[in-house]
Amino acid sequence: MGVINFGSLNIDYTYRVDGFVQPGETKAVQAMSVNCGGKGLNQSVALARAGVNVYHAGFVGTQGIFLVEKLGTCGVDTRWVRTVEESSGHAVIQVTDEGQNCILVYTGTNGIFTEDYVDQVLDAFGPEDLVLVQNETNLVGSIIRKAKSRGMRVAFNAAPVDGQVTQYPLDLVDWLFVNETEGAAISGEQEYSAITQALRRRLPHTAVVLTVGADGSIYAGPEGTFAVPARQVSAVDTTAAGDTFTGFFLRGILAGEGPEAALELATAASAITVTRPGAADSIPELAEVL
Ligand code: RIB
């Protein structure tokens, strides 16, 4: 059994700033680094570091080959990753002294999935496998439909949220991962409990996993509703915290733990991630989390 992650791979250009740049402002940065990122790559790394058998499917340009090498050194199976002539996806990330971030994403090669490629990858897997996808690639709705029609379980992280998300067949998704902004945009509600209740009413077969930053996380699914508070840590960089959460939560579920224990594991893992700079590099190993 494994996870096949149809995921983005981004070159992250990270700039440390004393506050986010404002409209019309030009600002010098305190430091700059180039990191391995992309919600897809980060989630594959989180799954692998959590001990899950994970296959990444996606595309990079030649300048993004180091992203594929990073996946490989982290234990992710990269046989389905393709290198092409187009420009790799990248992100421009501002990180403040408080560890908060804001991110611009250029889709690049994350937007060149074809139906044939998706079919080819899925043909190599079976109903015992789980498909994971985020909203940083094209063909998201198609990937969800195709995986479900093969009897596979589907996890979808609706990040970054956009106008297309509600057009996807979310009723086919087994686990929907959203933060408070994404949950509010999809449900039309603002309060945490109103968000989960509205999503559960609309998607009765979908378990909702809502992460709410310093307020912790909430699971609402067939087993009931569980909330776990966040750990108190000093955040250096919150980039990839949500991705770590998704990977370790799925690890808990695949290991046969209940949703509350999976939330606990994911909470502990993402608490470590935010204490370190960068994206994929900040994600801990399972042993450290335990
Ligand atoms: O979730 C964090 C990620 O979002 C970054 O690594 C960046 O690439 C963007 O995709």
Side-chain angles (χ1 to χ4, degrees):
M1 182 179 63
V3 174
I4 172 70
N5 182 10
F6 288 89
S8 57
L9 301 110
N10 286 340
I11 303 168
D12 282 0
Y13 299 98
T14 302
Y15 302 91
R16 190 154 281 274
V17 289
D18 58 9
F20 296 136
V21 68
Q22 298 299 304
E25 184 184 17
T26 300
K27 187 183 209 78
V29 304
Q30 298 165 348
M32 187 264 182
S33 58
V34 180
N35 300 303
C36 297
K39 295 183 194 305
L41 179 149
N42 297 337
Q43 291 178 26
S44 281
V45 169
L47 283 159
R49 290 192 172 153
V52 175
N53 189 23
V54 55
Y55 301 78
H56 194 98
F59 295 82
V60 290
T62 48
Q63 71 277 51
I65 288 172
F66 74 100
L67 303 173
V68 190
E69 290 166 357
K70 167 61 76 176
L71 285 174
T73 56
C74 292
V76 177
D77 191 312
T78 59
R79 75 184 71 179
W80 298 105
V81 180
R82 301 285 178 260
T83 304
V84 295
E85 290 302 317
E86 287 105 304
S87 293
S88 280
H90 73 253
V92 175
I93 306 178
Q94 297 178 53
V95 179
T96 65
D97 293 338
E98 292 73 41
Q100 294 306 310
N101 66 42
C102 64
I103 304 178
L104 289 172
V105 174
Y106 169 74
T107 300
T109 46
N110 297 314
I112 65 167
F113 285 70
T114 64
E115 299 286 357
D116 277 353
Y117 172 77
V118 173
D119 289 336
Q120 201 188 336
V121 175
L122 287 176
D123 282 349
F125 296 87
E128 68 282 7
D129 298 310
L130 186 153
V131 163
L132 170 63
V133 65
Q134 310 77 30
N135 196 31
E136 270 188 350
T137 64
N138 64 326
L139 296 190
V140 171
S142 185
I143 292 166
I144 293 171
R145 267 188 218 95
K146 286 178 184 212
K148 208 64 197 170
S149 73
R150 287 164 156 84
M152 303 167 87
R153 293 169 294 170
V154 177
F156 174 50
N157 174 208
V161 73
D162 61 17
Q164 284 193 77
V165 166
T166 50
Q167 310 302 315
Y168 298 148
L170 298 179
D171 52 322
L172 301 180
V173 168
D174 296 274
W175 296 276
L176 174 65
F177 292 86
V178 286
N179 66 16
E180 64 269 47
T181 313
E182 294 145 6
I186 298 170
S187 67
E189 301 287 347
Q190 297 300 323
E191 300 289 326
Y192 303 157
S193 60
I195 291 172
T196 54
Q197 284 167 20
L199 291 175
R200 286 287 293 154
R201 268 196 307 275
R202 200 181 306 167
L203 310 168
H205 305 297
T206 304
V208 177
V209 185
L210 174 67
T211 55
V212 286
D215 288 337
S217 58
I218 302 164
Y219 171 93
E223 305 88 344
T225 299
F226 308 97
V228 169
R231 302 286 177 107
Q232 298 301 309
V233 291
S234 282
V236 167
D237 182 352
T238 55
T239 310
D243 301 327
T244 305
F245 194 98
T246 298
F248 276 79
F249 179 88
L250 289 175
R251 146 79 205 201
I253 295 296
L254 292 172
E257 293 176 11
E260 197 169 11
L263 283 187
E264 293 278 7
L265 182 73
T267 300
S270 51
I272 295 172
T273 295
V274 303
T275 64
R276 297 171 177 164
D281 283 330
S282 65
I283 300 171
E285 299 277 351
L286 179 63
E288 184 181 5
V289 177
L290 294 176

